[in-house]
């Protein structure tokens, strides 16, 4: 195994390399670059080059919906069409503030954040947002231990983790046999067998505070498959929402919507229950709906939403 194969790419590394590749393709003659040269410049292996290309091929153009078309053959990577081409963009002051908050909340490194802000943001800096809002595990989706967890799954090794469940004040130790990682809504989960409880459990990656591979191999367990919606109901929080109309509700494709709870409110919209794993995601959806979604309960959620909304002003 080469030295570059040993350096696992974080989600941030992968994103930055993918952006660098798109920038080079956009400016290159005939929109084509030599794959070996780019991999050497980026200090990645051929296998990791494949990961970067796979990531880009799954991205769709925001305006047209067209997927980025990359042709990878005979040692060359070629961009076809305009989907994914990098055009100069400047954000409004409000959009710049939102981007700065997101970059800080996701633990993006200072040098990457500074380059992104310099290229896109307008208006005054929002200032140091500190540690508030950062997850204990690093990346908002994958946490800080995705490479270790992925390796344990690949080699069939038992994991020792520190995990904070939603109701716990701090993380506590678990010994688990990892099975797979699944993404449900805007959260990612480790599906594993809890050795002490002798039962299947799911652990949000961004709530894992420590992950170490042990010397023991996993044992064989009977894992039960379940859908993303079932996962949200099992692990998420419940919110009672009211949509202004049946049409407003039909526009949403959220996995956590409990369609069987929908109830017409005599001209006052549709009440329905929704499972969620991220309050910031839920609050952002409500704000983006511009008044067509309101929180009916629980009361504590309404209070936290009010506090969150005031913090944006």
């Amino acid at each position: 195994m080469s030295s570059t194969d040993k350096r696992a790419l974080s989600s941030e590394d992968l994103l930055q390399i993918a952006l660098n590749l798109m920038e080079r393709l956009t400016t290159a003659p005939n929109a084509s670059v030599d794959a070996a040269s780019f991999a050497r410049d980026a200090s990645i292996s051929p296998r990791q080059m494949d990961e970067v290309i796979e990531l880009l091929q799954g991205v769709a153009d925001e305006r047209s919906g067209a997927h980025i078309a990359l042709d990878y053959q005979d040692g060359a990577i070629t961009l076809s069409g305009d989907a994914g081409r990098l055009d100069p963009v400047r954000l409004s002051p409000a959009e710049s503030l939102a981007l700065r908050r997101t970059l800080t909340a996701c633990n993006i490194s200072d040098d990457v954040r500074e380059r992104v802000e310099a290229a896109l943001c307008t208006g005054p800096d929002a200032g140091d947002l500190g540690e508030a809002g950062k997850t204990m595990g690093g990346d908002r989706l994958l946490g800080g231990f995705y490479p270790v967890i992925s390796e344990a799954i690949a080699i069939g090794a038992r994991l020792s983790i520190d995990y904070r469940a939603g109701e716990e004040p701090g993380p506590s130790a678990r010994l688990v046999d990892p099975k797979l990682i699944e993404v449900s809504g805007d959260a990612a989960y480790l599906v594993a067998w809890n050795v002490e409880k002798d039962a299947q459990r799911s652990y949000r990656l961004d709530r894992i505070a420590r992950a170490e591979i042990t010397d023991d191999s996993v044992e064989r367990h009977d894992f039960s498959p379940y859908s993303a919606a079932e996962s949200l109901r099992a692990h998420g929080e419940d919110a009672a929402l009211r949509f202004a109309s049946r049409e407003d509700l039909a526009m949403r494709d959220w996995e956590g919507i409990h369609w069987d709870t929908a109830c017409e409110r005599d001209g006052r919209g549709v009440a329905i229950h929704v499972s969620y794993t991220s309050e910031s995601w839920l609050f952002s959806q409500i704000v983006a709906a511009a008044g067509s979604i309101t929180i009916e309960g629980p009361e504590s959620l309404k209070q936290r939403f009010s506090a969150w909304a005031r913090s944006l002003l």
Side-chain angles (χ1 to χ4, degrees), residues 62-303:
E62 181 179 2
R63 288 167 294 184
S64 67
H67 282 268
I68 296 175
L70 294 180
D71 184 27
Y72 186 18
Q73 59 182 351
D74 298 328
I77 306 170
T78 305
L79 174 64
S80 302
D82 294 327
R85 288 185 178 273
L86 301 181
D87 299 318
V89 174
R90 297 298 289 179
L91 302 178
S92 69
E95 292 170 334
S96 298
L97 175 60
L99 176 60
R100 288 187 174 107
R101 287 181 177 274
T102 300
L103 291 173
T104 300
C106 291
N107 290 328
I108 301 300
S109 64
D110 291 341
D111 59 330
V112 174
R113 186 176 67 222
E114 289 171 1
R115 292 200 301 274
V116 171
E117 290 180 357
L120 300 178
C121 293
T122 57
D125 195 321
D128 183 10
L129 298 178
E131 295 300 313
K134 291 190 178 183
T135 63
M136 68 191 326
D139 180 89
R140 180 66 64 179
L141 176 66
L142 300 179
F145 303 95
Y146 177 80
V148 176
I149 296 170
S150 296
E151 181 181 356
I153 293 172
I155 66 177
R158 182 165 287 176
L159 273 175
S160 173
I161 65 174
D162 286 346
Y163 181 77
R164 181 184 62 80
E167 72 280 1
E168 294 180 340
S172 57
R174 268 90 161 170
L175 193 62
V176 302
D177 287 347
K179 176 65 175 179
L180 56 88
I181 292 173
E182 67 168 12
V183 176
S184 179
D186 66 341
Y189 296 89
L190 166 64
V191 179
W193 198 269
N194 185 303
V195 175
E196 180 181 357
K197 296 183 180 299
D198 193 27
Q200 179 177 333
R201 294 289 187 270
S202 292
Y203 304 96
R204 271 186 59 151
L205 296 193
D206 63 346
R207 291 181 180 171
I208 295 177
R210 177 187 62 87
E212 295 179 1
I213 296 177
T214 71
D215 294 331
D216 298 325
S217 298
V218 300
E219 298 179 0
R220 185 181 181 87
H221 304 287
D222 294 326
F223 283 89
S224 301
Y226 47 81
S227 67
E230 291 170 331
S231 175
L232 275 172
R233 290 202 183 202
H235 306 287
E237 303 293 333
D238 182 80
L241 305 181
R242 179 165 54 84
F243 289 78
S245 67
R246 176 71 67 171
E247 290 72 23
D248 287 317
L249 174 58
M251 292 170 55
R252 318 296 165 176
D253 58 356
W254 307 341
E255 292 284 358
I257 294 178
H258 300 197
W259 294 100
D260 57 321
T261 66
C263 178
E264 298 279 357
R265 286 291 180 85
D266 296 330
R268 295 188 296 111
V270 182
I272 197 167
H273 283 262
V274 174
S275 292
Y276 64 94
T277 56
S278 168
E279 276 195 357
S280 60
W281 171 85
L282 179 65
F283 293 166
S284 297
Q285 296 296 324
I286 293 171
V287 169
S292 63
I293 304 176
T294 56
I295 301 175
E296 293 201 329
E299 187 63 30
S300 58
L301 181 64
K302 295 168 66 175
Q303 294 172 357

